[in-house]
Amino acid sequence: MSKTYSIQVEKARVLAKGLRENLEQVKAYGVTSDALDALERDAEETEQADNELDTLRAEVSEKASVANQKLNGLREQIQSLKQIVKKNFDQPRWEALGVPDKR
């Protein structure tokens, strides 16, 4: 769980607990048991959403790593094949062979 989420979830839980333990004193100010139930429910849902987000971030990170490895391999293949063309053919033929480089 990210720090920002965990701090807010913990604040909500501590607040709900404190207000629930002193509900008789704070009822006069509009605090209800239903409001505290909603606060606790929202804290739980926020925690679950953040956990799902962490799972998705890990999956994206893994997939990005695989994609980057494939991209690096592709770049190496391109460079290798371009070098073959450049070493074995005159520059005017490069473009016809798929190498648009001017040097």
Side-chain angles (χ1 to χ4, degrees):
M1 179 181 277
S2 71
K3 189 165 182 106
T4 301
Y5 282 80
S6 65
I7 288 170
Q8 293 304 313
V9 167
E10 185 60 25
K11 283 181 180 181
R13 287 180 175 153
V14 168
L15 179 61
K17 182 180 182 220
L19 290 174
R20 194 172 297 284
E21 289 173 355
N22 297 285
L23 190 56
E24 289 305 315
Q25 297 172 25
V26 295
K27 270 186 177 180
Y29 300 101
V31 177
T32 65
S33 182
D34 289 342
L36 298 177
D37 291 344
L39 180 63
E40 290 169 336
R41 185 176 52 253
D42 288 347
E44 182 62 32
E45 289 173 1
T46 299
E47 183 177 41
Q48 289 175 358
D50 188 51
N51 288 337
E52 290 174 17
L53 188 58
D54 286 344
T55 301
L56 291 172
R57 282 184 181 133
E59 187 176 334
V60 166
S61 178
E62 182 180 321
K63 290 189 182 278
S65 177
V66 169
N68 285 333
Q69 288 174 356
K70 291 198 175 285
L71 179 60
N72 289 337
L74 180 63
R75 285 179 177 155
E76 288 173 9
Q77 287 177 328
I78 290 169
Q79 190 61 30
S80 174
L81 292 170
K82 282 172 72 173
Q83 288 305 313
I84 291 171
V85 170
K86 287 182 176 184
K87 287 180 183 177
N88 296 296
F89 295 91
D90 291 332
Q91 186 175 351
R93 291 270 300 133
W94 291 1
E95 192 168 343
L97 295 168
V99 180
D101 293 352
K102 299 296 177 192
R103 335 178 311 166

